[in-house]
Amino acid sequence: MFRVAVVGDHGSGKTTFLGLLYAALVSSGSGKGDDLRFHVAYDSLDEITVLFQRLMSGGFPDSATKEGLHELRVELEMARSGHGVFSRLGSRNRGTGQAGTIHFSLPGSLDEASPGLHQGSTFGTGKWRDALDADALVMLADGTRLAAKGTDVKTGPMAAYDGRLEALFIAIQRWRSSGGREVLHPVFVLSKFDSVRPEVLKVANVEAKPPAVGKAGLRVAYAKALLDTNLPRTLALLQGPRGKKLRFAPPAFVFSRVTSEAEGPDRAERIKLRRTDGGGWEPDYSRDEYLAFLEHLARIASEAKD
Amino acid sequence: MPCALLGDRASGKTTFLGLLYSAQVKYGTGVHDDFRFHAPMASLNVMSAVYEGMKDARFPSATLKEEITELSFIFGYLRKVTGKLPYYIRQQNWVKPFSTLRFSAYDVSGEDIEEFIETGIASRPLIQQLLKSVVIVVLVDCSKMTTDIDTPPYKKMLRYDSTVAKLMVAFQTYKKQEYDRLKDSGVNPDAPIIYPAFVLSKFDTLRDDVLARLGLHQGFPEDKRARREYAEALLRVFVPQTLSQIRGGKVAGVSMDKAEYFLSWVRTETQEGMEPVGQPRIVRTGFRPEGGGEPDFSYDEYVHFIEHFRKIANKIPDDILEAEKFQAQALIRP
């Protein structure tokens, strides 16, 4: 089983991220193509379907939904790309797909975790054990809190979060110094990316829209242009000296966007829904980013199995 | 071999059974002599009562949960070889001229199955029997399908999608658990076999403009592949979680890829002006001197349904006999 821990501060969008991921799975899993099929574990269904209903009705997750959702387990099979005519043989060629169980866990908000964890301690970590044992760590960086290049990194809006992430990685390294998985795959999700302040993008000298999912090199450069200022300690640790038992894979980046609209001055924001090709409705979100993330997960999960 | 007819509350199971009864009466007494229908007296009484009510333009009243779980019927299909033997040979006990499928209707919710999966204990023996079925027919209620967002019916449809998806996953989970249990016992079972069929009930409630927006015509195609594409186009829009889990069963080791789809509709009287009060009235054709008429419904689809299971009936007994043999062996092993 490939374990993915989703971490972030309170309000960074962890539950929404998982809900949109499930929406992407449902959309592709029910689509005409044969590229993706998935099966939800029975014990994950209750909470995730409630969240799905909420998103499909235009609502962000409420506190009850957030409280209830702690994990999502799916078996995923994605057709491998680049196999030419053989990839179009459909079910007859399913043996070349990447299959595996992926377990997503939400240990909680990082800013509400135990003080010990904030100092890199593994003692008394409780439900954060999922993060310590994870194969992949998905870290949400709230796009609305990104600071412009040139901001003092020690006092910037994400300085504290940067410190907490660094401490989490140190705790993971300590935890695995005596055993456990030797590779950790970091993934940065820049959430609420449609709400990043224009001056932040301007100062970083990047376009408003990130490069398309197929352009890996450009995406890395784009993300680093924004995160070097905001998460410098975490990035430095991931690129740090080798020789330790735990190896960090090159990070992946997801730019998550979901269009929202306020119904009135005193009304809560609602998710804007858009028409699908088939005539139905779905949240207006960056679906291609989520599918690319799933493909990335499927690939690294498959490699971990091998 | 037991086959299950499933559907959430008010999905149209009773109406479906009444129409099936109507279809088999007409089909079985037609030129085809190779199909037989049999039901226990209690079930026959219920089904024929529903049918008689529909001949008087009445839909059946809401069925109690206990009532519908008592309903069962058998389809019999004349076998190609033994069925053609002389009458006096066919009457011998050792000759089985008909392959049969025994259907039982279950009014179950996801919670019924959840209890069994989590504890291994079924509050009702019928649940365990249901989960052993190889043929499952699931009713999907088209009256819950709408594209009008921000309306109560839309939210109801989202909830319904979750409910049916959960039923599918529960069924697949149970089948996989049983397969794993047999493997762990040292038996080498074949992959779980399910022959699923989906009946899109109350299809007449879907408006033409909704179908047009989906690029679909009013009628169901004849071709098998085209039928599946048509049905999946509907499910994709209205119950996407359910469709994703039907297609995802293969990943879980319980394939539902050979699912067949059928439409069920009954023409009802349209009212001018004010909204009708109470149940709509069924449109009838072929009025009789003694009163009543035949309900105007998707007869061809029901014939298609009856014929679909002919191949499965011929195939299942041997496959399942082997599986039952394996299961018996697993139980007696230490």
Side-chain angles (χ1 to χ4, degrees):
Chain A
M1 180 159 58
F2 193 80
R3 288 180 276 197
V4 181
V6 180
V7 304
D9 275 351
H10 181 79
S12 57
K14 299 181 292 298
T15 309
T16 302
F17 170 76
L18 210 59
L20 292 176
L21 194 66
Y22 180 73
L25 281 168
V26 169
S27 172
S28 292
S30 62
K32 286 182 188 174
D34 228 11
D35 299 332
L36 182 154
R37 293 201 182 189
F38 80 104
H39 185 260
V40 189
Y42 188 74
D43 48 17
S44 294
L45 262 177
D46 272 340
E47 288 81 18
I48 199 63
T49 54
V50 167
L51 176 56
F52 180 77
Q53 288 171 46
R54 198 163 168 90
L55 293 174
M56 293 288 280
S57 305
F60 281 101
D62 56 11
S63 50
T65 313
K66 289 180 189 180
E67 280 292 315
L69 185 64
H70 299 293
E71 62 173 7
L72 170 66
R73 211 156 35 94
V74 298
E75 288 197 53
L76 177 66
E77 188 170 303
M78 291 183 81
R80 285 200 182 139
S81 56
H83 277 204
V85 67
F86 295 106
S87 68
R88 289 194 286 278
L89 287 177
S91 59
R92 271 184 282 162
N93 210 33
R94 291 215 71 76
T96 64
Q98 300 161 350
T101 303
I102 301 183
H103 177 242
F104 297 91
S105 63
L106 275 78
S109 296
L110 198 50
D111 48 345
E112 293 167 0
S114 67
L117 190 67
H118 293 166
Q119 282 149 24
S121 167
T122 61
F123 180 74
T125 44
K127 55 189 175 178
W128 285 91
R129 179 75 65 84
D130 285 338
L132 300 180
D133 286 331
D135 294 287
L137 193 68
V138 173
M139 297 157 282
L140 268 79
D142 187 336
T144 62
R145 301 185 64 210
L146 290 177
K149 197 172 176 179
T151 305
D152 184 356
V153 298
K154 289 182 187 162
T155 58
M158 297 202 68
Y161 181 53
D162 189 25
R164 287 191 280 272
L165 278 180
E166 186 193 32
L168 178 60
F169 276 112
I170 291 171
I172 293 173
Q173 283 176 319
R174 283 188 182 145
W175 181 256
R176 300 199 200 175
S177 59
S178 52
R181 287 162 166 75
E182 294 177 354
V183 180
L184 178 64
H185 297 268
V187 180
F188 290 94
V189 175
L190 284 84
S191 61
K192 310 177 195 177
F193 202 73
D194 51 304
S195 302
V196 173
R197 288 180 294 133
E199 58 266 30
V200 171
L201 299 169
K202 191 176 174 187
V203 171
N205 198 24
V206 294
E207 300 286 330
K209 215 173 154 190
V213 295
K215 302 189 165 124
L218 291 174
R219 285 169 66 84
V220 170
Y222 185 102
K224 284 191 170 168
L226 295 169
L227 292 179
D228 276 344
T229 301
N230 291 276
L231 300 176
R233 290 160 68 176
T234 306
L235 289 176
L237 185 145
L238 292 178
Q239 289 161 10
R242 296 176 191 276
K244 289 190 185 289
K245 195 169 167 57
L246 177 64
R247 185 168 59 82
F248 297 119
F253 301 96
V254 179
F255 301 93
S256 173
R257 167 195 67 74
V258 57
T259 308
S260 58
E261 51 195 6
E263 289 190 321
D266 297 321
R267 304 287 291 273
E269 269 195 318
R270 290 185 56 75
I271 295 174
K272 190 175 172 193
L273 298 178
R274 68 182 174 204
R275 280 268 186 213
T276 61
D277 290 339
W281 294 97
E282 68 175 0
D284 186 2
Y285 73 114
S286 49
R287 187 165 160 262
D288 52 343
E289 292 279 339
Y290 282 81
L291 290 177
F293 169 67
L294 284 167
E295 211 172 305
H296 173 71
L297 267 192
R299 187 171 57 250
I300 59 180
S302 171
E303 285 165 7
K305 257 172 48 174
D306 297 336
Chain B
M1 173 46 52
C3 309
L5 174 66
L6 306 177
D8 207 46
R9 206 65 52 80
S11 56
K13 290 186 292 297
T14 312
T15 301
F16 172 80
L17 290 171
L19 293 175
L20 191 62
Y21 179 80
S22 166
Q24 65 80 25
V25 163
K26 188 174 170 184
Y27 186 68
T29 54
V31 296
H32 305 277
D33 195 31
D34 55 0
F35 170 74
R36 293 285 185 276
F37 176 89
H38 172 76
M41 190 54 66
S43 297
L44 207 56
N45 287 342
V46 171
M47 290 171 77
S48 61
V50 169
Y51 173 48
E52 291 299 321
M54 294 179 86
K55 280 159 67 178
D56 286 337
R58 292 193 318 268
F59 277 103
S61 53
T63 316
L64 293 175
K65 201 161 174 141
E66 292 70 30
E67 284 174 351
I68 203 160
T69 51
E70 298 300 325
L71 288 176
S72 64
F73 56 92
I74 299 173
F75 281 172
Y77 303 93
L78 197 65
R79 292 180 196 264
K80 279 186 181 159
V81 176
T82 51
K84 300 277 191 284
L85 293 172
Y87 178 78
Y88 69 93
I89 297 179
R90 274 194 278 142
Q91 292 305 299
Q92 304 300 314
N93 284 339
W94 53 270
V95 177
K96 291 183 176 16
F98 284 91
S99 4
T100 58
L101 287 176
R102 184 169 65 80
F103 285 87
S104 294
Y106 299 97
D107 186 2
V108 294
S109 61
E111 284 75 26
D112 292 324
I113 303 177
E114 179 179 359
E115 183 194 0
F116 184 74
I117 289 176
E118 287 175 358
T119 65
I121 300 165
S123 57
R124 294 181 284 151
L126 282 168
I127 300 294
Q128 197 162 4
Q129 193 177 335
L130 147 74
L131 291 171
K132 287 186 189 312
S133 298
V134 171
V135 172
I136 60 165
V137 178
V138 181
L139 263 69
V140 181
D141 186 356
C142 291
S143 71
K144 295 196 167 61
M145 297 178 178
T146 176
T147 55
D148 298 331
I149 55 174
D150 289 333
T151 59
Y154 181 75
K155 292 192 174 150
K156 209 168 166 181
M157 178 191 74
L158 293 174
R159 281 197 298 274
Y160 179 66
D161 181 25
S162 297
T163 302
V164 182
K166 198 169 173 182
L167 193 60
M168 291 294 99
V169 172
F171 204 85
Q172 291 160 344
T173 303
Y174 171 78
K175 286 290 184 187
K176 183 66 169 54
Q177 281 178 353
E178 273 303 285
Y179 170 73
D180 290 339
R181 196 179 62 77
L182 286 174
K183 264 182 81 174
D184 292 342
S185 311
V187 176
N188 190 21
D190 291 328
I193 306 169
I194 296 182
Y195 295 94
F198 294 89
V199 176
L200 305 176
S201 63
K202 309 180 196 175
F203 186 72
D204 52 295
T205 59
L206 271 178
R207 299 194 313 260
D208 288 348
D209 61 306
V210 172
L211 288 173
R213 193 175 296 143
L214 270 56
L216 300 174
H217 304 292
Q218 256 285 339
F220 221 20
E222 286 291 322
D223 174 66
K224 191 172 173 175
R225 184 175 174 165
R227 287 169 70 88
R228 184 179 307 128
E229 286 174 0
Y230 186 107
E232 288 189 353
L234 284 173
L235 298 182
R236 184 171 299 122
V237 168
F238 298 114
V239 286
Q241 291 184 93
T242 299
L243 180 58
S244 73
Q245 294 314 289
I246 290 169
R247 289 158 57 94
K250 191 158 189 145
V251 183
V254 183
S255 178
M256 288 186 154
D257 273 356
K258 294 188 177 65
E260 271 287 327
Y261 295 93
F262 305 91
L263 294 188
S264 175
W265 54 260
V266 181
R267 210 166 296 286
T268 54
E269 291 171 357
T270 49
Q271 301 286 337
E272 298 288 336
M274 293 171 66
E275 286 291 321
V277 176
Q279 285 256 23
R281 288 181 61 78
I282 296 171
V283 168
R284 294 155 298 160
T285 60
F287 286 93
R288 295 160 186 201
E290 62 268 26
E294 289 301 314
D296 187 6
F297 71 105
S298 51
Y299 169 74
D300 289 344
E301 286 292 312
Y302 280 78
V303 167
H304 204 97
F305 179 89
I306 291 169
E307 278 305 305
H308 165 66
F309 288 106
R310 182 186 295 271
K311 287 182 213 150
I312 296 174
N314 285 332
K315 196 173 154 41
I316 275 186
D318 294 332
D319 290 346
I320 300 309
L321 215 53
E322 288 303 307
E324 284 179 335
K325 216 189 296 177
F326 283 136
Q327 196 155 355
Q329 284 172 1
L331 287 173
I332 61 175
R333 282 187 197 187

